[in-house]
Short mmCIF file of all heavy atoms in Angstrom, two decimals:
data_model
loop_
_atom_site.label_atom_id
_atom_site.label_comp_id
_atom_site.label_asym_id
_atom_site.label_seq_id
_atom_site.Cartn_x
_atom_site.Cartn_y
_atom_site.Cartn_z
N HIS A 132 22.63 -67.64 69.91
CA HIS A 132 23.63 -66.50 69.85
C HIS A 132 23.77 -66.01 68.43
O HIS A 132 23.42 -66.69 67.45
CB HIS A 132 24.97 -67.10 70.31
CG HIS A 132 24.89 -67.74 71.68
ND1 HIS A 132 25.02 -66.97 72.82
CD2 HIS A 132 24.79 -68.95 72.04
CE1 HIS A 132 25.00 -67.73 73.86
NE2 HIS A 132 24.79 -68.98 73.41
N THR A 133 24.17 -64.73 68.39
CA THR A 133 24.42 -64.01 67.11
C THR A 133 25.85 -63.51 67.09
O THR A 133 26.32 -62.91 68.06
CB THR A 133 23.48 -62.85 66.96
OG1 THR A 133 22.15 -63.38 66.96
CG2 THR A 133 23.69 -62.17 65.61
N VAL A 134 26.53 -63.77 66.02
CA VAL A 134 27.94 -63.28 65.84
C VAL A 134 28.04 -62.43 64.58
O VAL A 134 27.42 -62.72 63.58
CB VAL A 134 28.89 -64.52 65.79
CG1 VAL A 134 28.55 -65.47 64.66
CG2 VAL A 134 30.32 -63.99 65.65
N SER A 135 28.85 -61.39 64.64
CA SER A 135 29.00 -60.50 63.49
C SER A 135 30.48 -60.20 63.33
O SER A 135 31.27 -60.19 64.32
CB SER A 135 28.25 -59.13 63.60
OG SER A 135 28.67 -58.47 64.81
N VAL A 136 30.94 -59.99 62.12
CA VAL A 136 32.37 -59.74 61.77
C VAL A 136 32.45 -58.63 60.80
O VAL A 136 31.72 -58.61 59.78
CB VAL A 136 33.00 -61.03 61.22
CG1 VAL A 136 34.55 -60.71 60.92
CG2 VAL A 136 32.85 -62.21 62.17
N VAL A 137 33.41 -57.66 61.03
CA VAL A 137 33.72 -56.60 60.06
C VAL A 137 35.23 -56.64 59.83
O VAL A 137 36.02 -57.08 60.65
CB VAL A 137 33.25 -55.24 60.56
CG1 VAL A 137 31.77 -55.20 60.73
CG2 VAL A 137 33.92 -54.83 61.86
N ALA A 138 35.59 -56.15 58.64
CA ALA A 138 36.99 -55.91 58.35
C ALA A 138 37.39 -54.52 58.72
O ALA A 138 36.55 -53.60 58.62
CB ALA A 138 37.30 -56.19 56.83
N ILE A 139 38.64 -54.24 59.15
CA ILE A 139 39.15 -53.01 59.39
C ILE A 139 40.45 -52.77 58.68
O ILE A 139 41.30 -53.65 58.62
CB ILE A 139 39.36 -52.78 60.96
CG1 ILE A 139 39.81 -51.38 61.28
CG2 ILE A 139 40.25 -53.84 61.51
CD1 ILE A 139 39.75 -51.08 62.76
N ASP A 140 40.63 -51.58 58.07
CA ASP A 140 41.80 -51.35 57.25
C ASP A 140 42.82 -50.53 58.10
O ASP A 140 42.67 -50.19 59.21
CB ASP A 140 41.47 -50.65 55.95
CG ASP A 140 40.93 -49.23 56.10
OD1 ASP A 140 41.00 -48.65 57.21
OD2 ASP A 140 40.42 -48.72 55.13
N LEU A 141 44.00 -50.29 57.44
CA LEU A 141 45.09 -49.57 58.12
C LEU A 141 44.76 -48.15 58.57
O LEU A 141 45.38 -47.68 59.45
CB LEU A 141 46.31 -49.55 57.17
CG LEU A 141 46.91 -50.88 56.77
CD1 LEU A 141 47.94 -50.71 55.71
CD2 LEU A 141 47.42 -51.63 57.97
N ALA A 142 43.77 -47.57 57.91
CA ALA A 142 43.33 -46.21 58.35
C ALA A 142 42.29 -46.21 59.42
O ALA A 142 41.82 -45.14 59.83
CB ALA A 142 42.90 -45.46 57.11
N GLY A 143 41.78 -47.44 59.73
CA GLY A 143 40.67 -47.50 60.76
C GLY A 143 39.33 -47.53 60.26
O GLY A 143 38.38 -47.61 61.00
N ASN A 144 39.19 -47.60 58.86
CA ASN A 144 37.88 -47.68 58.29
C ASN A 144 37.31 -49.14 58.42
O ASN A 144 38.12 -50.09 58.33
CB ASN A 144 37.90 -47.35 56.83
CG ASN A 144 38.40 -45.94 56.58
OD1 ASN A 144 37.88 -44.98 57.10
ND2 ASN A 144 39.46 -45.82 55.79
N ARG A 145 36.07 -49.25 58.66
CA ARG A 145 35.47 -50.54 58.83
C ARG A 145 34.43 -50.92 57.71
O ARG A 145 33.97 -50.01 57.06
CB ARG A 145 34.68 -50.67 60.20
CG ARG A 145 35.61 -50.66 61.39
CD ARG A 145 34.85 -50.41 62.70
NE ARG A 145 35.76 -50.64 63.83
CZ ARG A 145 36.64 -49.69 64.23
NH1 ARG A 145 36.81 -48.60 63.54
NH2 ARG A 145 37.45 -49.98 65.31
N SER A 146 34.19 -52.15 57.54
CA SER A 146 33.26 -52.55 56.48
C SER A 146 31.91 -51.83 56.68
O SER A 146 31.44 -51.64 57.81
CB SER A 146 32.98 -54.08 56.57
OG SER A 146 34.21 -54.80 56.41
N ALA A 147 31.26 -51.54 55.58
CA ALA A 147 30.02 -50.79 55.70
C ALA A 147 28.90 -51.67 56.37
O ALA A 147 28.04 -51.11 57.16
CB ALA A 147 29.60 -50.38 54.26
N THR A 148 28.86 -52.91 56.06
CA THR A 148 27.81 -53.75 56.55
C THR A 148 28.42 -55.00 57.23
O THR A 148 29.15 -55.79 56.62
CB THR A 148 26.81 -54.26 55.51
OG1 THR A 148 26.33 -53.11 54.85
CG2 THR A 148 25.70 -55.12 56.05
N PRO A 149 28.20 -55.25 58.55
CA PRO A 149 28.78 -56.40 59.17
C PRO A 149 28.25 -57.66 58.65
O PRO A 149 27.02 -57.77 58.35
CB PRO A 149 28.41 -56.22 60.70
CG PRO A 149 28.03 -54.81 60.81
CD PRO A 149 27.47 -54.34 59.49
N ALA A 150 29.05 -58.71 58.54
CA ALA A 150 28.56 -60.05 58.28
C ALA A 150 27.99 -60.66 59.52
O ALA A 150 28.65 -60.60 60.54
CB ALA A 150 29.73 -60.90 57.69
N THR A 151 26.83 -61.24 59.46
CA THR A 151 26.10 -61.66 60.62
C THR A 151 25.52 -63.04 60.41
O THR A 151 25.01 -63.34 59.36
CB THR A 151 24.96 -60.66 61.05
OG1 THR A 151 25.55 -59.34 61.21
CG2 THR A 151 24.32 -61.11 62.33
N THR A 152 25.57 -63.89 61.47
CA THR A 152 24.96 -65.22 61.42
C THR A 152 24.58 -65.60 62.87
O THR A 152 25.02 -64.99 63.85
CB THR A 152 25.84 -66.28 60.81
OG1 THR A 152 25.14 -67.47 60.64
CG2 THR A 152 27.04 -66.59 61.72
N SER A 153 23.61 -66.56 63.00
CA SER A 153 23.16 -67.03 64.30
C SER A 153 23.34 -68.49 64.40
O SER A 153 23.40 -69.26 63.40
CB SER A 153 21.67 -66.62 64.50
OG SER A 153 21.53 -65.18 64.50
N PHE A 154 23.32 -68.99 65.68
CA PHE A 154 23.46 -70.42 65.92
C PHE A 154 22.91 -70.79 67.27
O PHE A 154 22.74 -69.92 68.11
CB PHE A 154 24.93 -70.88 65.80
CG PHE A 154 25.84 -70.37 66.87
CD1 PHE A 154 26.07 -71.02 68.04
CD2 PHE A 154 26.44 -69.10 66.70
CE1 PHE A 154 26.86 -70.51 69.01
CE2 PHE A 154 27.29 -68.57 67.67
CZ PHE A 154 27.48 -69.31 68.91
N THR A 155 22.68 -72.09 67.46
CA THR A 155 22.16 -72.58 68.80
C THR A 155 23.13 -73.62 69.27
O THR A 155 23.50 -74.53 68.49
CB THR A 155 20.73 -73.16 68.64
OG1 THR A 155 19.94 -72.12 68.16
CG2 THR A 155 20.23 -73.69 69.95
N THR A 156 23.49 -73.57 70.53
CA THR A 156 24.40 -74.64 71.05
C THR A 156 23.71 -75.97 71.23
O THR A 156 22.47 -76.02 71.34
CB THR A 156 25.02 -74.12 72.40
OG1 THR A 156 23.90 -73.82 73.27
CG2 THR A 156 25.95 -72.96 72.19
N ASP A 157 24.44 -77.01 71.34
CA ASP A 157 23.92 -78.34 71.56
C ASP A 157 23.47 -78.54 73.01
O ASP A 157 23.77 -77.78 73.94
CB ASP A 157 24.93 -79.43 71.20
CG ASP A 157 25.30 -79.40 69.71
OD1 ASP A 157 24.51 -78.82 68.93
OD2 ASP A 157 26.38 -79.91 69.39
N ALA A 158 22.71 -79.62 73.19
CA ALA A 158 22.34 -80.09 74.55
C ALA A 158 23.52 -80.77 75.22
O ALA A 158 24.36 -81.29 74.51
CB ALA A 158 21.07 -80.92 74.51
N LEU A 159 23.46 -80.80 76.52
CA LEU A 159 24.50 -81.58 77.18
C LEU A 159 24.38 -83.07 76.93
O LEU A 159 23.23 -83.56 76.84
CB LEU A 159 24.41 -81.34 78.71
CG LEU A 159 24.89 -80.00 79.20
CD1 LEU A 159 24.58 -79.89 80.75
CD2 LEU A 159 26.41 -79.91 79.02
N PRO A 160 25.43 -83.78 76.78
CA PRO A 160 25.35 -85.24 76.55
C PRO A 160 24.79 -85.96 77.78
O PRO A 160 24.96 -85.42 78.88
CB PRO A 160 26.78 -85.67 76.26
CG PRO A 160 27.66 -84.63 76.93
CD PRO A 160 26.85 -83.32 76.83
N PRO A 161 24.12 -87.11 77.66
CA PRO A 161 23.63 -87.85 78.86
C PRO A 161 24.75 -88.35 79.73
O PRO A 161 25.87 -88.52 79.22
CB PRO A 161 22.78 -88.99 78.26
CG PRO A 161 23.45 -89.22 76.90
CD PRO A 161 23.84 -87.82 76.40
N PRO A 162 24.53 -88.47 81.00
CA PRO A 162 25.57 -88.92 81.91
C PRO A 162 25.92 -90.33 81.62
O PRO A 162 25.07 -91.15 81.08
CB PRO A 162 24.91 -88.79 83.34
CG PRO A 162 23.49 -88.85 83.08
CD PRO A 162 23.24 -88.17 81.77
N PRO A 163 27.15 -90.75 81.83
CA PRO A 163 27.60 -92.09 81.55
C PRO A 163 26.94 -93.13 82.41
O PRO A 163 26.57 -92.85 83.56
CB PRO A 163 29.13 -92.05 81.75
CG PRO A 163 29.31 -90.96 82.73
CD PRO A 163 28.24 -89.94 82.36
N ASP A 164 26.77 -94.35 81.95
CA ASP A 164 26.16 -95.46 82.74
C ASP A 164 27.29 -96.09 83.55
O ASP A 164 28.28 -96.67 83.06
CB ASP A 164 25.62 -96.55 81.79
CG ASP A 164 24.92 -97.68 82.55
OD1 ASP A 164 25.00 -97.71 83.80
OD2 ASP A 164 24.35 -98.54 81.91
N VAL A 165 27.26 -95.86 84.88
CA VAL A 165 28.35 -96.30 85.80
C VAL A 165 28.56 -97.84 85.77
O VAL A 165 29.56 -98.34 86.12
CB VAL A 165 28.16 -95.77 87.21
CG1 VAL A 165 28.17 -94.28 87.20
CG2 VAL A 165 26.78 -96.32 87.75
#
Side-chain angles (χ1 to χ4, degrees):
H132 303 278
T133 300
V134 57
S135 60
V136 181
V137 297
I139 181 170
D140 66 13
L141 296 173
N144 301 306
R145 289 167 173 77
S146 303
T148 303
T151 303
T152 189
S153 299
F154 65 94
T155 301
T156 54
D157 294 340
L159 284 173
D164 184 356
V165 296

